[in-house]
Amino acid sequence: MIEKHYKQIKEYAKNIDLCVVSKKRSIQEIQSYYDIGERIFGENRADEFLIKTKQLPTDISWQFIGHLQRNKVKEILPYVSCIQSLDNIPLARVIEKEAAKISKKINVLVELHMAMEDTNKSGLNPDEVDDFINTIMQECPHIQIQGIMAMGPHTDSTERIHEVFQQVNQIYQRLQNKFGTQMFHTLSMGMSHDYQIAIEHGSTMLRIGTYLFEETEL
Ligand SMILES: *Cc1c(COP(=O)(O)O)cnc(C)c1O
């Protein structure tokens, strides 16, 4: 662990959840954050997720934060606390089917695609999100929506990052008013390079990897 960086993040994120993004990190590196009290960890690949969840303590709240292939759903469901990257109905249908088989309610965040300049295609466009939520509510009783996940744009422009996170927060608040805080209580945004900006715009959960595991300053 990088104590200096960790303390700095915790200082900023006083009432905010921290998801320690542990992709590509060793069991020992992850354990070092577990040992100082962190319990929320995030992985973005199913194979790695499965190996790590089986080796690390069972009270970890595992977040799936990457593109999830439908053929991996069945395997990861028993171990996952929240799928943060739900962005399409075919995936939701598979989650629903497999969750029903094991009688487990699966927490999800709806992933938004905000930064139109980025080629990364994951996430729903803002104008698709209401229909998407209605469909999940009608067709997927084993899926429990908890909120929104979004990524900031890949840019050096602090202004642009502010703009995008502000837009995400507006959508989040609108959905909260429309669907209730039972379904919208988590706003997952903010990574190593933009977490401070995300906090200014209402993030309730940071997802940080690099800065927690590497000495390099931002
Ligand atoms: C890797 C990753 C992060 C963490 O990014 P860092 O820049 O390493 O802090 C957060 N969210 C998602 C979806 C990721 O894939």
Side-chain angles (χ1 to χ4, degrees):
M1 67 168 295
I2 314 293
E3 197 172 338
K4 181 167 153 236
H5 293 180
Y6 177 65
K7 279 190 177 151
Q8 192 182 323
I9 291 165
K10 293 300 266 191
E11 185 64 27
Y12 269 96
K14 283 227 167 69
N15 300 305
I16 297 179
D17 287 330
L18 173 63
C19 172
V20 177
V21 176
S22 51
K23 65 186 185 204
K24 294 186 264 170
R25 309 298 169 183
S26 67
I27 297 292
Q28 289 75 13
E29 283 176 292
I30 302 170
Q31 186 77 42
S32 70
Y33 278 103
Y34 181 88
D35 290 343
I36 51 171
E38 294 305 319
R39 289 294 180 272
I40 307 174
F41 292 86
E43 288 287 332
N44 70 339
R45 292 184 52 237
D47 297 345
E48 204 177 325
F49 175 95
L50 287 166
I51 291 169
K52 288 174 176 173
T53 52
K54 286 168 191 170
Q55 289 186 40
L56 282 150
T58 53
D59 63 343
I60 288 176
S61 168
W62 287 103
Q63 312 287 302
F64 197 88
I65 61 171
H67 173 71
L68 179 56
Q69 288 172 288
R70 297 200 286 277
N71 64 3
K72 302 287 183 182
V73 168
K74 184 193 171 107
E75 275 182 289
I76 76 150
L77 282 196
Y79 304 98
V80 77
S81 293
C82 182
I83 296 170
Q84 294 204 6
S85 45
L86 183 64
D87 67 353
N88 69 87
I89 295 294
L91 175 62
R93 292 216 167 95
V94 174
I95 294 171
E96 171 58 31
K97 189 174 125 220
E98 296 299 335
K101 283 189 201 162
I102 57 170
S103 302
K104 182 180 175 184
K105 276 241 179 191
I106 305 297
N107 297 324
V108 303
L109 302 181
V110 176
E111 183 177 351
L112 281 183
H113 176 68
M114 296 302 297
M116 296 309 163
E117 63 269 43
D118 289 348
T119 47
N120 166 21
K121 281 201 267 312
S122 61
L124 289 163
N125 291 327
D127 63 354
E128 300 172 315
V129 72
D130 291 67
D131 285 348
F132 183 80
I133 292 163
N134 280 319
T135 305
I136 300 289
M137 286 170 69
Q138 282 159 20
E139 297 181 20
C140 305
H142 292 85
I143 294 182
Q144 183 66 56
I145 296 174
Q146 309 268 353
I148 291 292
M149 188 267 260
M151 296 212 223
H154 285 283
T155 172
D156 292 334
S157 162
T158 309
E159 255 170 61
R160 178 69 185 132
I161 299 172
H162 272 284
E163 185 179 47
V164 168
F165 283 158
Q166 188 179 8
Q167 286 166 358
V168 176
N169 191 22
Q170 278 166 2
I171 295 167
Y172 175 68
Q173 288 189 22
R174 184 180 64 73
L175 295 171
Q176 208 171 45
N177 288 332
K178 181 169 171 182
F179 295 103
T181 52
Q182 188 85 340
M183 273 173 68
F184 285 89
H185 53 76
T186 301
L187 178 54
S188 170
M189 64 181 188
M191 317 195 332
S192 291
H193 64 285
D194 57 17
Y195 76 90
Q196 295 165 354
I197 303 175
I199 292 171
E200 283 185 56
H201 295 287
S203 171
T204 71
M205 184 188 278
L206 307 173
R207 305 180 312 273
I208 301 185
T210 312
Y211 198 56
L212 285 170
F213 291 102
E214 291 176 24
E215 296 279 357
T216 9
E217 296 305 319
L218 294 171

